[in-house]
Amino acid sequence: MYKLLRSPGLGIKLNIYVLFVLSIFLVSIIFLLNRNTKNLTEQVGSERVNEEVNILENRLAEIEDKLLVDINFLSTNVHFYQAVGRRNSEDVAAIINPANESLKLDDITVVDGDGIRLIDTAIDQSDFTEEDKLLATGLIGQKSIALLIEDNEGQTQISIAAVAPILSQTGNRLGAILMRRRVNDQFLDNLTFGRATVHLGMVYNDQIIARTILAPSDQPASDDMLANSIAVNSTSLSKAQIGQAVILDNLMAGIDGVPHAVAYVPLRAGSQTSPVVMVILVELEEIHAFQNRTLNTTVFIFTGLTLLALSIIYLAIHYITIRPLNALRSTAHTMTSGQYDQRVPVNSQDEVGQLAVAFNEMANAIEQREISLKEARERAEQADRVKSLFLASVSHELRTPLNAIINLTKFVGLGMYGAINDDQKDTLQKVEISGKHLLSLINDVLDISKIEAGSLELFIEEGLDLENIIQPAIETARGLLLEKNVTIHCTIEPGLPHLTGDEQRIRQIVLNLLSNACKFTEQGEIKVRASCHNDTILITVKDTGPGIDPSDHETIFEVFRQARSGVRKAEGTGLGLPISRRLAEAHEGRLWVESALGQGATFYVALPVQSTLEPTL
């Protein structure tokens, strides 16, 4: 064996040793993982999901009991049943509305003896068929708990409802009262006590009607996914729909391989059985952690065996490999510090010696390349400074004659130097418009040149009223929509704190965003909103335009770069958004976009309320 390993090259020798050791380690890892985790995972998962089924049933029973207590308390209140007996809606509302402030029910409905509604606190209900059927049972003297399944404008709504008759002291039925709690996302979240490891989903007609609220960092669940990429099992769902609770024996693997225990429980109200099914999904994080600990233990063993194997390999190749490689490594570290004149001694003609020769050749090339790059960098930095100064100088010098051209053209168009005909007037207006467009481009170039040259100066003021900044920008933007079926809506949160900054530059940011929205929005609306969140003023400009591909979200903030839609329109120079972002950053804020193709675009500007900018004297 020893003689056999002498003839191959160094790479073959190392591969044979490593493959032999890794084969042993791989068998050990598979054996340990299969033995330690499989049975324990299934056992713990079954116990956990059974506990959650019991918790769910107990919580639902508590909610039903509380509904019955609340409805009994109200229906036996003297002032209440007297108001119902008088059929006075205002008196009934004066009792029900304050009571619901503390009860926090989704709906309280009261009808008189003829079934006519005296009050209904639900403001979004369109179909009263199922509710009327349940109220009818109360009018005949029955007190009960039921599950209401209703269609409200195409949306299925499911509620746990209690109904009771309203009786006078003499036992006369004056009407009926119904209380309900809707089974929605928030309701399910309350059932789990907000625990992130337990997810509930309510399924009706093979559709997920409600689910527990996912954490902001989670991926949004699709219509057929409960949570963590785990879908509804149709076979188990069918069994639960006929009143049979189903607890899956096999665990489901979710995101990152975390095992989940799943149960399907029919939703009942009182003694009623319904086709509504509650799906319980329990993340077995402790099992996952146990698996990780097992893996860590295995890795520890793997590391020990690896060290043993490396020791054997080290002893075998120390004299022919390690020492030359150590010398090469030491030289490489020395070159990393900038001493590119170092070279490795060549003491053999084998693979290590050939590596040393190649390394020395590479070191020669790096030394020459470093010298060339240093010279090129210095030339580039000098060219960039010259370019910025040139653009700033040229832009500044062009503005004065261009302003004169625009003004003189306007004077001639107004007839101040003699009468002109309509064609001449139209031509002069086009010249004026083109001149103003050119002046705007020159101003943008001058701004970006000042920013890149580090010479941008802000006129800082305190006590800036954001409404006085936004409204003039909106009025200017409306002039860009005269020939479009687009409206601008503005919402400014009352009582916004005042800002510290450059009023003109902040207005420039808002106007740039509005101009972009007007340019790309052909129909629909543009929404401008200003609000305060956590000591930060947030300005939002949302349009119904073509949207921006996510791959272009950062491209549009680069100088002279535009998204594909901007290139197709062939408008602008691609400076408005880069300037706006840099101006926002100069105010210690930030600017970003959220958009997708075909869904419009929303730009956000965040400015701090407490700024460190010093007012300009």
Side-chain angles (χ1 to χ4, degrees), residues 267-304:
L267 181 62
R268 300 183 179 91
S271 61
Q272 175 186 1
T273 301
S274 73
V276 181
V277 176
M278 297 291 287
V279 185
I280 305 174
L281 193 66
V282 181
E283 294 184 34
L284 302 176
E285 288 187 345
E286 58 279 331
I287 294 295
H288 194 54
F290 172 77
Q291 292 173 341
N292 288 336
R293 288 194 298 269
T294 304
L295 181 60
N296 290 336
T297 302
T298 305
V299 169
F300 177 77
I301 297 174
F302 181 90
T303 302

Side-chain angles (χ1 to χ4, degrees), residues 250-545:
N250 297 325
L251 300 180
M252 307 294 293
I255 297 175
D256 297 329
V258 177
H260 293 68
V262 186
Y264 294 78
V265 181
L267 181 62
R268 300 183 179 91
S271 61
Q272 175 186 1
T273 301
S274 73
V276 181
V277 176
M278 297 291 287
V279 185
I280 305 174
L281 193 66
V282 181
E283 294 184 34
L284 302 176
E285 288 187 345
E286 58 279 331
I287 294 295
H288 194 54
F290 172 77
Q291 292 173 341
N292 288 336
R293 288 194 298 269
T294 304
L295 181 60
N296 290 336
T297 302
T298 305
V299 169
F300 177 77
I301 297 174
F302 181 90
T303 302
L305 295 176
T306 301
L307 291 175
L308 177 61
L310 290 177
S311 298
I312 298 173
I313 296 174
Y314 176 81
L315 293 175
I317 63 174
H318 174 73
Y319 292 101
I320 62 174
T321 305
I322 299 299
R323 287 189 299 182
L325 290 180
N326 283 338
L328 188 147
R329 182 182 59 186
S330 177
T331 303
H333 287 169
T334 303
M335 292 182 63
T336 302
S337 63
Q339 301 181 32
Y340 297 105
D341 58 345
Q342 300 294 310
R343 298 296 180 265
V344 178
V346 180
N347 299 321
S348 65
Q349 298 300 321
D350 58 9
E351 288 89 343
V352 177
Q354 295 171 13
L355 177 62
V357 172
F359 181 86
N360 289 337
E361 293 175 352
M362 180 189 67
N364 292 331
I366 290 176
E367 185 175 12
Q368 295 300 320
R369 183 69 58 84
E370 180 65 19
I371 294 172
S372 300
L373 288 176
K374 185 176 180 180
E375 294 175 352
R377 183 170 60 251
E378 292 175 352
R379 290 195 298 269
E381 291 175 351
Q382 178 63 22
D384 187 63
R385 287 192 295 269
V386 172
K387 183 258 307 182
S388 297
L389 292 174
F390 172 76
L391 287 176
S393 177
V394 170
S395 300
H396 181 75
E397 294 301 327
L398 284 175
R399 287 199 302 177
T400 300
L402 188 56
N403 275 317
I405 292 172
I406 294 172
N407 291 332
L408 290 174
T409 302
K410 186 173 183 179
F411 294 157
V412 174
L414 293 174
M416 297 177 64
Y417 296 101
I420 59 174
N421 57 40
D422 292 340
D423 290 339
Q424 293 170 333
K425 184 175 182 180
D426 183 61
T427 300
L428 290 171
Q429 288 176 346
K430 292 179 180 179
V431 172
E432 182 183 349
I433 293 172
S434 298
K436 289 181 178 179
H437 180 64
L438 180 58
L439 180 60
S440 175
L441 297 181
I442 291 173
N443 286 334
D444 285 346
V445 172
L446 180 58
D447 281 343
I448 201 67
S449 299
K450 287 182 177 180
I451 291 172
E452 291 186 346
S455 59
L456 177 68
E457 296 182 358
L458 298 177
F459 184 78
I460 305 301
E461 300 178 89
E462 293 180 332
L464 298 180
D465 189 341
L466 198 57
E467 184 172 3
N468 294 336
I469 296 175
I470 293 177
Q471 289 296 348
I474 292 177
E475 294 303 321
T476 302
R478 285 197 172 101
L480 304 175
L481 299 173
L482 296 179
E483 298 180 358
K484 292 185 177 182
N485 185 23
V486 180
T487 57
I488 299 180
H489 302 285
C490 178
T491 303
I492 298 179
E493 185 178 286
L496 285 180
H498 289 176
L499 291 174
T500 297
D502 188 325
E503 179 176 359
Q504 179 181 354
R505 293 301 188 178
I506 297 176
R507 185 179 293 116
Q508 182 180 353
I509 295 172
V510 178
L511 186 56
N512 279 344
L513 298 181
L514 283 170
S515 298
N516 272 358
C518 295
K519 182 190 304 181
F520 293 103
T521 305
E522 298 299 331
Q523 61 180 359
E525 60 182 358
I526 299 171
K527 294 182 178 180
V528 182
R529 178 177 176 82
S531 57
C532 184
H533 302 275
N534 299 326
D535 295 329
T536 300
I537 296 294
L538 186 65
I539 304 172
T540 306
V541 178
K542 181 177 182 181
D543 62 54
T544 56

Side-chain angles (χ1 to χ4, degrees), residues 157 183 240 259 267:
Q157 289 186 347
V183 185
L267 181 62

Side-chain angles (χ1 to χ4, degrees), residues 31-206:
F31 176 79
L32 288 173
L33 289 179
N34 287 338
R35 182 174 180 178
N36 291 338
T37 61
K38 184 177 180 180
N39 294 333
L40 183 60
T41 300
E42 293 178 353
Q43 180 180 355
V44 174
S46 177
E47 293 176 355
R48 282 291 309 279
V49 76
N50 273 290
E51 290 176 1
E52 294 302 331
V53 170
N54 293 332
I55 291 173
L56 174 64
E57 292 176 346
N58 291 335
R59 287 283 289 149
L60 290 174
E62 290 174 2
I63 292 171
E64 293 178 7
D65 292 342
K66 189 174 186 306
L67 276 175
L68 291 174
V69 170
D70 292 339
I71 202 169
N72 184 65
F73 172 77
L74 272 179
S75 62
T76 56
N77 183 281
V78 175
H79 298 291
F80 174 66
Y81 67 66
Q82 287 178 349
V84 175
R86 294 193 303 271
R87 305 191 179 192
N88 190 316
S89 299
E90 293 182 357
D91 290 348
V92 172
I95 297 173
I96 291 297
N97 289 332
N100 200 28
E101 289 292 328
S102 59
L103 298 178
K104 299 187 182 302
L105 296 170
D106 295 301
D107 183 22
I108 299 179
T109 302
V110 179
V111 297
D112 60 18
D114 296 327
I116 299 174
R117 279 175 168 73
L118 298 177
I119 185 173
D120 190 341
T121 61
I123 61 175
D124 59 347
Q125 191 171 354
S126 60
D127 185 6
F128 299 96
T129 304
E130 297 299 322
E131 186 178 278
D132 289 342
K133 290 180 182 178
L134 189 56
L135 283 168
T137 64
L139 290 174
I140 63 175
Q142 296 181 6
K143 180 186 296 184
S144 62
I145 287 284
L147 198 67
L148 288 181
I149 304 175
E150 301 170 303
D151 181 79
N152 187 12
E153 298 181 355
Q155 299 292 326
T156 301
Q157 289 186 347
I158 298 176
S159 307
I160 299 175
V163 66
I166 302 172
L167 305 176
S168 67
Q169 287 183 335
T170 59
N172 293 328
R173 287 195 293 271
L174 305 177
I177 179 172
L178 181 144
M179 294 180 176
R180 74 163 77 187
R181 286 196 179 277
R182 286 201 177 96
V183 185
N184 52 24
D185 295 355
Q186 187 63 52
F187 180 89
L188 297 184
D189 207 49
N190 291 335
L191 287 180
T192 65
F193 305 100
R195 290 174 293 164
T197 57
V198 179
H199 304 282
L200 296 181
M202 184 174 65
V203 182
Y204 175 71
N205 281 345
D206 299 330

Side-chain angles (χ1 to χ4, degrees), residues 199-245:
H199 304 282
L200 296 181
M202 184 174 65
V203 182
Y204 175 71
N205 281 345
D206 299 330
Q207 293 184 348
I208 300 176
I209 304 301
R211 72 187 85 213
T212 49
I213 301 171
L214 299 178
S217 60
D218 292 342
Q219 292 291 333
S222 60
D223 292 339
D224 60 342
M225 293 291 177
L226 290 168
N228 298 339
S229 299
I230 296 180
V232 176
N233 183 282
S234 58
T235 303
S236 302
L237 180 63
S238 300
K239 293 180 180 178
Q241 286 173 338
I242 60 175
Q244 177 183 351

